[in-house]
Amino acid sequence: MARALGALALAIGAVVLAIPGSSVGEPTSWESLLAPYSTGAPLPDGFRVQEIRRGPDNGIVISVRRPDGGAAVEVLVVERGRWKSVHESQSFTIDYELPHSPAAEREVITALLAETIRSRDHGLPAPDALPLRPDEVGADASVLPWWLEVLRGLRGVLLGATLILLALLALVRAPVLVGLGVALGAIDVTARLVGVPLLRPGVGAVWIVPAALGLLGLALRDRWSRSRTDLRLALAVAAVALVLRLGLGPWGPLHVNGHGPRFVAGAVHDPADIAAYGPGYHEIFGPIAALAPSSPDWAIFACNAFFSALLPPLGFAIGRLTGLGARAAFAVALLLALDPVALRMGATEAYFAPIAFFCTAASAAMLVALREMEMAGRWRAAALLVAAGLLLSQAARIHPCAWVLMATVPFVLLAGDCGSWRRRALMAVAAAVVSGGVLLCTSSTALLDVLGNIRAGTVFRPTPPSLWPLAWVALVAAGYVFVLRPLVVPRRLLALPAAVSLAAMLLTRHAFDASWIWEQSYFRLYLTLPLIAAVACVPPAWFDRRWHVVSAAAVLGLAWIRIGWPVVADRSLEHREYRWVREQLELVPPECRVVHLGFAGRRVLLLPTYVGAPRPAVAMDPHRPATVEA
């Protein structure tokens, strides 16, 4: 009864908090907010509004020009509280962007537009939730729906905390959770009645990663001694994987179209340039790059090799936790360690390795949580689920390609080697709810910014996927369950999470087909569980027969030399260009200024001007006049 009371309080608080304000859903547009100037009326000194468009930071850009003289002012409108300005309305901060506003009248123009917006702003959602023109109300694909906008800021934090407590109440019987549930429900109702402040919680990797590590340490503090043999095997395969990645890795960019140096520079000194993809890349690699100021790219490459080397032992752990024997799980880990594509993408700047690490580590943490639930360690299980949610949240902050992947992670619990089907299904639902709650608590505003960039086409807009791959995946999964199982008796439920992973991979692959190695690297985010399911089809007795193991190792070795080595040894033209330019820039004296054309249309070619001693550098962009003038 007490748990029901806490759950009811949380449910009421969440419903009340999620009710949109009176302004949400009104047919307001930016053109109507700025009328009559948006429809042609002149501003002071002959200026006119030339264009209203969405900016890369999910704000609104109002381009104002004087037709005769060519003087220009660009006024930015963002949600209130993002940065400070004397021009504010109830919902927005308004100011001009100095590099794009050379006109002397910029302050007068900005003040007039701010007053126009202020007179009509009686409480509005974020800038990207309003269409640009009245005729686009309900049809503007770049507008975020209201039910997503209510997740921004402090409201998202409260809703996330509510979801976490609801899930924990279902798993842990504790009076303290009931009390917290009632208190949080009251806070939700009070915040809705009084008004939720417009805040942007600054929770990033500096808080998320230490919190996840702390929870994992608390939950596993006396569990390491239970399987020392497994631990030794995992450490051995991790060492092999790290040596291979450091020794055979390309130590150069994996990105195509010149984006490799762009991401390194974003981690080193220009996070705003890659912020449209999410803040996580800079959060993870910024401190790493700072350790080697003269060669920040080397530091990032080495860190990625380390992330990639941690995947084989995590695959070993997942194999053991889903019912594989030690030798079968070691075979999985060894295949992951020797994967030629993984070796090729390890020591690079690509974001695939950290995303794969965080999501795979979350999968392992969830499986350990299932085992703790069966051992009556409910508080440990709760800590592990929250830690897994934190790891997934950090992955989602790095790049949008992690979003679909993280949604597939809770399905791994259905293949756990302990507990009834009902218990595993309950844990999977609880893990999904906890992960969603943690995501809202830590990253709702940041990810809504990225989603707005995707919908506006600032980053990329994925094409609708074909549903044909689902039929093939279902056919293979059915064959696995009904044909292979009677023959070799594998873990039957491995088919479900493996099929979900394959389906997600095939449905999203078209957004990552810029090159064959880029696409194959993306596939590696999803192939760990299918690989475990495939190894589970091998009869366990085969791993006890030496000649079977030796024969399989010989065949795999020959196949690796014939097929894998060319993949590992291959170097792209972009990689060779990068290494050559890097060597030349190291010879440039620190007092010299490096200027190059970095952007031309949709083409990008940034140079690694961050190597060597710090020096002034300019990457010219025709769309940013200040860079050309500099």
Side-chain angles (χ1 to χ4, degrees):
M1 180 62 72
R3 286 203 299 173
L5 177 63
L8 179 62
L10 288 170
I12 293 174
V15 171
V16 171
L17 192 62
I19 296 175
S22 59
S23 62
V24 176
E26 293 181 0
T28 306
S29 68
W30 283 104
E31 191 172 285
S32 60
L33 279 175
L34 291 165
Y37 306 112
S38 58
T39 54
L43 289 156
D45 298 313
F47 283 88
R48 294 180 185 272
V49 174
Q50 183 183 49
E51 181 186 19
I52 304 173
R53 67 180 188 276
R54 301 199 184 277
D57 57 353
N58 280 46
I60 294 296
V61 179
I62 308 169
S63 180
V64 182
R65 290 186 179 274
R66 188 162 51 201
D68 54 352
V73 180
E74 276 199 1
V75 179
L76 302 183
V77 184
V78 298
E79 57 183 321
R80 185 169 178 172
R82 178 171 290 193
W83 26 261
K84 293 184 178 180
S85 171
V86 297
H87 306 294
E88 289 185 337
S89 67
Q90 183 173 336
S91 308
F92 308 122
T93 297
I94 305 109
D95 212 336
Y96 60 85
E97 188 177 18
L98 186 59
H100 298 168
S101 305
E105 299 86 350
R106 55 181 176 254
E107 184 63 43
V108 175
I109 298 295
T110 302
L112 183 58
L113 292 178
E115 179 57 34
T116 303
I117 295 173
R118 191 181 302 115
S119 65
R120 296 178 171 89
D121 179 9
H122 305 296
L124 291 168
D128 51 9
L130 298 176
L132 297 178
R133 288 173 289 277
D135 57 353
E136 294 179 339
V137 172
D140 187 353
S142 66
V143 175
L144 290 180
W146 67 266
W147 53 271
L148 283 176
E149 285 298 329
V150 299
L151 303 178
R152 281 191 185 274
L154 186 59
R155 192 192 299 258
V157 173
L158 292 175
L159 285 171
T162 301
L163 287 177
I164 295 171
L165 267 181
L166 275 172
L168 295 185
L169 274 172
L171 298 178
V172 182
R173 297 179 180 178
V176 64
L177 288 181
V178 176
L180 288 175
V182 174
L184 184 56
I187 292 173
D188 290 344
V189 174
T190 303
R192 180 64 185 87
L193 295 176
V194 175
V196 183
L198 295 173
L199 300 176
R200 292 177 63 91
V203 181
V206 67
W207 299 103
I208 294 174
V209 175
L213 294 177
L215 288 172
L216 290 173
L218 287 174
L220 303 175
R221 61 184 181 277
D222 57 356
R223 296 293 197 249
W224 302 106
S225 60
R226 294 192 176 185
S227 54
R228 292 194 174 183
T229 301
D230 285 356
L231 185 59
R232 284 195 291 267
L233 288 174
L235 291 176
V237 78
V240 170
L242 182 60
V243 170
L244 290 175
R245 281 149 180 77
L246 293 177
L248 301 179
W251 293 86
L254 188 70
H255 271 89
V256 297
N257 197 15
H259 283 282
R262 182 180 190 181
F263 272 80
V264 175
V268 176
H269 57 71
D270 192 12
D273 191 43
I274 58 173
Y277 299 92
Y281 191 91
H282 174 75
E283 292 171 356
I284 293 296
F285 291 113
I288 300 299
L291 298 177
S294 61
S295 297
D297 50 348
W298 277 183
I300 292 175
F301 298 160
C303 184
N304 257 335
F306 180 73
F307 278 134
S308 181
L310 292 176
L311 294 177
L314 287 173
F316 175 84
I318 293 173
R320 295 290 283 146
L321 292 167
T322 53
L324 268 65
R327 295 186 179 182
F330 185 76
V332 170
L334 202 57
L335 289 173
L336 291 173
L338 297 175
D339 177 17
V341 174
L343 296 180
R344 174 78 179 275
M345 76 173 184
T348 67
E349 88 303 335
Y351 40 73
F352 294 128
I355 289 174
F357 165 72
F358 285 123
C359 290
T360 309
S363 298
M366 289 180 183
L367 288 168
V368 177
L370 175 63
R371 180 168 292 185
E372 290 294 337
M373 283 293 292
E374 291 301 308
M375 298 167 56
R378 293 178 178 268
W379 279 110
R380 292 177 185 267
L384 287 165
L385 289 184
V386 175
L390 289 168
L391 295 173
L392 292 178
S393 176
Q394 187 57 49
R397 296 171 68 90
I398 295 175
H399 193 273
C401 74
W403 296 359
V404 175
L405 176 65
M406 65 173 292
T408 69
V409 169
F411 286 95
V412 74
L413 285 163
L414 301 178
D417 68 338
C418 59
S420 64
W421 163 255
R422 185 176 179 181
R423 172 62 60 83
R424 282 176 283 175
L426 174 63
M427 284 292 292
V429 173
V433 174
V434 169
S435 299
V438 173
L439 191 70
L440 290 179
C441 279
T442 61
S443 309
S444 61
T445 302
L447 298 190
L448 284 174
D449 288 347
V450 178
L451 180 60
N453 290 327
I454 293 174
R455 292 172 69 93
T458 305
V459 179
F460 63 90
R461 184 174 290 176
T463 57
S466 170
L467 297 181
W468 275 109
L470 294 180
W472 291 106
V473 170
L475 183 63
V476 172
Y480 182 99
V481 173
F482 298 109
V483 178
L484 288 177
R485 180 176 180 268
L487 296 177
V488 296
V489 196
R491 290 288 302 172
R492 177 178 180 178
L493 289 177
L494 274 170
L496 183 55
V500 170
S501 295
L502 287 176
M505 179 189 79
L506 294 174
L507 289 174
T508 56
R509 60 182 291 269
H510 300 290
F512 299 90
D513 58 357
S515 67
W516 74 268
I517 187 62
W518 192 251
E519 184 178 52
Q520 289 296 321
S521 299
Y522 176 70
F523 287 171
R524 283 347 184 243
L525 297 178
Y526 292 92
L527 291 182
T528 299
L529 278 177
L531 177 62
I532 294 173
V535 173
C537 293
V538 179
W542 286 21
F543 291 101
D544 297 327
R545 299 173 183 173
R546 181 171 298 179
W547 70 273
H548 279 165
V549 174
V550 172
S551 301
V555 171
L556 288 175
L558 292 174
W560 194 92
I561 293 172
R562 178 67 180 86
I563 302 173
W565 176 249
V567 174
V568 175
D570 185 33
R571 296 293 180 264
S572 66
L573 177 60
E574 298 239 356
H575 171 83
R576 294 195 293 271
E577 288 176 344
Y578 181 90
R579 297 297 291 266
W580 182 85
V581 172
R582 193 185 192 285
E583 292 170 359
Q584 303 307 310
L585 287 174
E586 287 182 327
L587 303 176
V588 176
E591 63 273 12
C592 292
R593 188 179 213 188
V594 180
V595 182
H596 70 285
L597 181 65
F599 303 85
R602 297 182 63 85
R603 304 294 295 175
V604 179
L605 183 58
L606 296 179
L607 301 184
T609 55
Y610 40 75
V611 301
R615 62 170 61 86
V618 177
M620 290 189 293
D621 181 357
H623 297 290
R624 299 166 64 186
T627 62
V628 181
E629 294 168 3

